[in-house]
Amino acid sequence: MLIQNNIFAQDEAELFTAKNAIYAEVGGNSSLYALNYSRIFHQKGRLKISASAGFSMRYTKASEPIYPSFWSPSWSSEITAFLGKSRHHLEFGTGFLTSQNRDFIIDTNYQNNIREQVYWDQFLTGRIGYRYQKPDGGFFFRAGYTPVLVFYNSEGADYGAEFYPVRFGISAGISF
């Protein structure tokens, strides 16, 4: 009976009571940076699965004097699984990012007027890395390898998709 209680206590210690996290991310699923919210929605033994959503704004400075500078919103989401005991984990998953962009096209049909085209680029990301998160909450940190496949939607884009195999991301925040 005593051995059985010890085994049960070990399994209980692996359960996360702090299922939520708010963190800042640089690189990774966010492309440049983002503020994210994450929630663990499944846990069994050493396996935990979480979903996250994030938001960022990017400022693009005009390269030509006739084009205005602009702010572009980005929305990201990610599903990750992490394995480990206590606070150190191996994390892997996939994510999606959509980012607003725009082109300024010279429209020759209307006496060389400049036409603005707004579109959304999409990014598919992968993740494998390290995650530090205590079961009872507190400091949250992760770092990982995050390759990305970008799908461009611009009218003037010469290519439809591009793969960036060498990308990394780092996140820090608090879990509660």
Side-chain angles (χ1 to χ4, degrees), residues 121-163:
D121 290 329
Q122 286 90 31
F123 304 70
L124 289 175
T125 61
R127 173 179 303 275
I128 186 163
Y130 169 77
R131 179 176 182 136
Y132 176 86
Q133 183 176 354
K134 294 180 188 176
D136 58 346
F139 179 68
F140 171 89
F141 173 81
R142 64 186 198 159
Y145 167 65
T146 58
V148 66
L149 180 60
V150 183
F151 298 95
Y152 297 103
N153 290 316
S154 169
E155 203 175 276
D158 294 335
Y159 38 84
E162 227 174 339
F163 180 63

